Each structure stands twice: as structure tokens, then as C-alpha cells.
Amino acid sequence: LAKRPELDGTLGRLAAFDVAVGRWEFVPEQPPRDIIRVREENLEAAPAPSEVPEEFRCCITRELMEQPVITSDGHTYERAAIARWLEEHGTSPKTGRELPDKVLRPNHAIRAQILAWRESNGLPPLPPWEPEPQETVETRRPAQTHHTTVVMQPQGLQPLVMVHTPAGAVPVSLAPGGHMPLAPLLRSSPQLQQELHVAWSVLAQ
């Protein structure tokens, strides 16, 4: 800018085009943020951020990492992504091979490089991160469900209902004097009540 050389190289945004004077209203990023009217020939688009280096991308999400951690397979992942994976798998998402452990260790070297890359490309800094030296991911256990199975004994014997619980199968007699009292189970399990009703209906036929 011939009349405002101090504004050369200033970054900002275009607010609107003033048709009356044929100039753009330019708002600088840094204060003072007074609107400046400039000709179009004095504007230059800011360079787009460079392509994210492959080593800065998570192997799972393919996104720029913020909390990079390394696993026993030697690869680096975004912490949240690899933690979710290891809750349900014992293999490397990169190689498919079995992992000897599920320990995550922060990759401070890669994070330092990512922070420098973000700064050089005009991206906002990341929040502070102070991870533990290592973190072990626990395997997520599948939810256990309760179900019942009616076992028809040979003729002359009382039929049983097998109530499957996390502790194992519990045999429940359909007649008094069985393996355990039936009333408490009936009060605590509407599903068992319904299945016993069906079982009695079958026996009554």
C-alpha cells in the first residue's frame, strides 16, 4: 500500500464491498481493528495451510493428532482412538498382529513437532497435556444377560428351569421341594415369571 506501507503483509478478513467507492472493507486481525478500505489489487489471499504430514496423522482416524501415544507395535495413534480400539481388540489396528500388551505411552517428540507445524501454519495452539508416563487400557467386558431355559426331564420327574446368571446356571424346580425357593426369583424377574407361565402352559397340554 503506497499510502499505508505499515499495513503491508497485514492479515485480516474482508467484511464487505463498498460499491460507492469501489473498495473492500478490510478488518485487520491485530488491533487496532479499524475498518480499512482497500482496492482489490492491493489484496492477496493468505497461503493455505500445507498438507498435514503423514506422520502427524492418526493411523485410525486419519486426522491431525492432538494427544499422540505410541503402542507396543511401534506406531503412533490419537490417544482416544487407540484406547477405544484396545478396549475391544488385542491386535494392532495398523498391522493386525497380536499386541503383547495394551500400554499407551505419550509420544512427546511427535507432539512437539505437531505444535511447531500448527504454529507455522497459523493454526491455534493445543490445550496443555500432561499425561502419565504410561497408561494401560482395560479390556471392555461384554454385557452379560440373564436368560432362562426350560429343561424337560424324563417322564415321572419334575421339569426344571435353568436360570443362567453371571455366576453360572442355577437349577430351579417347577414343583415344591426343588433345588431352591422359586418365589424370590419370581418376584425379582418378570421375564422369569413369563417364561415359567409359558412352561406351565406347555406342561398342562
Side-chain angles (χ1 to χ4, degrees):
L1 298 175
K3 296 182 179 180
R4 302 286 299 276
E6 72 276 10
L7 296 177
D8 286 349
T10 300
L11 297 178
R13 62 180 178 84
L14 299 177
F17 184 74
D18 191 333
V19 180
V21 297
R23 297 187 180 187
W24 284 95
E25 294 182 352
F26 176 79
V27 182
E29 285 185 356
Q30 302 297 328
R33 294 185 174 87
D34 299 331
I35 294 178
I36 304 169
R37 289 178 172 81
V38 296
R39 295 189 179 91
E40 186 170 357
E41 58 267 24
N42 290 326
L43 297 173
E44 182 179 351
S50 59
E51 182 68 20
V52 177
E54 185 64 24
E55 62 270 24
F56 295 169
R57 293 181 182 272
C58 172
C59 300
I60 299 174
T61 66
R62 305 300 303 153
E63 299 293 333
L64 178 62
M65 292 182 287
E66 297 185 5
Q67 297 182 353
V69 295
I70 191 168
T71 65
S72 55
D73 65 359
H75 296 284
T76 298
Y77 308 86
E78 178 64 28
R79 180 193 165 277
I82 187 62
R84 285 194 300 269
W85 171 271
L86 292 179
E87 285 178 352
E88 300 179 356
H89 304 82
T91 57
S92 163
K94 182 73 172 179
T95 66
R97 296 177 180 174
E98 195 75 22
L99 293 172
D101 57 53
K102 294 188 175 184
V103 176
L104 308 180
R105 296 177 176 84
N107 194 330
H108 294 294
I110 284 292
R111 190 169 196 267
Q113 296 176 38
I114 290 174
L115 291 174
W117 182 87
R118 292 178 68 96
E119 182 178 2
S120 65
N121 284 274
L123 297 178
L126 296 176
W129 184 44
E130 298 180 358
E132 296 293 330
Q134 66 180 40
E135 170 189 3
T136 301
V137 179
E138 299 293 336
T139 301
R140 181 189 299 171
R141 303 296 180 185
Q144 294 180 330
T145 58
H146 297 259
H147 61 279
T148 59
T149 302
V150 177
V151 180
M152 303 303 293
Q153 299 281 28
Q155 187 175 5
L157 298 179
Q158 297 294 341
L160 296 177
V161 172
M162 301 302 295
V163 181
H164 293 268
T165 72
V170 180
V172 180
S173 174
L174 293 180
H179 293 72
M180 64 180 297
L182 185 58
L185 283 176
L186 288 176
R187 287 194 296 267
S188 63
S189 176
Q191 179 183 354
L192 180 56
Q193 294 178 31
Q194 181 179 2
E195 295 197 19
L196 286 178
H197 177 75
V198 173
W200 278 115
S201 299
V202 172
L203 292 174
Q205 294 178 355

